[in-house]
Amino acid sequence: MQLHHREQGQGTPLVVLHGLFGTLDNWQTLGRRWADAGHRVISVDLRNHGRSFHTPEHTYELMSQDVLALFDSLQLDPETTLLGHSMGGKVAMHFALHHPDRLARLIVIDIAPRASSMEHQDDIIEGLNAVPLAQLESRQQADEALAQHIRQPGVRQFLLKNLYRQEDNSFAWRQNLAALTSNMLAVGAEITAPQPFMKPALFIRGGKSDYITTEDKLYGIPPLFPNSQVETIVDAGHWVHAEKPDEVFGLVDAFAKS
């Protein structure tokens, strides 16, 4: 089973991994810009997301193996840059720590290697599971069901990008909601390794986000990524790339060409 992916542009590979409940579609606008700037951009749907395969298991070890299989299939050279946001950032960290010879540099967007209880996702999980797919007649009804659990319209619109009509015209989620619900603690797992990743690593954090704290910057990241730098984008939250695309474009383009 190979991960669904999409390629744009030519040049040195830049592999992009989305976050929890996301898809590669979330990165297409920035992907086009990076492709126009001279990168071979490979946007990926991780397992249990988008158009990639569904499995009951959802761990960073398995997701890293999925990415390794894609690297092998596409015959990506060691000059590849691997970028991941949130959950995808943890996949990228795990991959870099365990397969350091397969890439030249790492970019992690708004996530630290430490463990998370994932309690902040409880409302989203409850909301998604509360949507009555079998009775659903419109996306508006789905939004109304989500609104009982999730107040922010922007978060609901992000989640509703996963809703689609099947051939029989009924609605379904693209993500494997059952697997993600049962594996939420695994999504929050700490990223560890016996040896650090010695190559360059760029961490981009949102100034309004607490996913990378000052403590992470000083004590959590350096032991695993000693050749790392942390850049803060002021006035951005966790979805840094959506809120400040120009800043993210510039940081990633410059670092991937370094």
Side-chain angles (χ1 to χ4, degrees), residues 98-111:
H98 292 85
H99 308 286
D101 58 320
R102 299 303 301 268
L103 68 162
R105 59 195 69 79
L106 170 72
I107 302 174
V108 176
I109 299 184
D110 213 56
I111 197 74

Side-chain angles (χ1 to χ4, degrees), residues 23-124:
T23 73
L24 62 79
D25 292 336
N26 305 141
W27 289 87
Q28 285 313 285
T29 301
L30 272 171
R32 280 193 296 272
R33 293 181 64 181
W34 287 322
D36 290 342
H39 304 276
R40 177 190 175 192
V41 182
I42 302 156
S43 304
V44 180
D45 279 336
L46 294 168
R47 68 165 57 201
N48 293 320
H49 288 77
R51 291 171 173 80
S52 281
F53 53 86
H54 288 188
T55 69
E57 300 83 17
H58 195 83
T59 67
Y60 288 115
E61 173 65 30
L62 290 173
M63 286 188 279
S64 181
Q65 290 177 13
D66 296 340
V67 174
L68 179 61
L70 183 64
F71 270 55
D72 289 342
S73 175
L74 298 178
Q75 298 181 323
L76 298 183
D77 64 54
E79 282 302 307
T80 298
T81 298
L82 181 59
L83 177 155
H85 169 246
S86 199
M87 180 190 74
K90 282 195 164 182
V91 177
M93 283 188 271
H94 189 286
F95 184 93
L97 288 163
H98 292 85
H99 308 286
D101 58 320
R102 299 303 301 268
L103 68 162
R105 59 195 69 79
L106 170 72
I107 302 174
V108 176
I109 299 184
D110 213 56
I111 197 74
R114 62 179 158 85
S116 167
S117 68
M118 301 304 289
E119 291 179 355
H120 59 287
Q121 299 289 347
D122 286 351
D123 290 344
I124 289 178

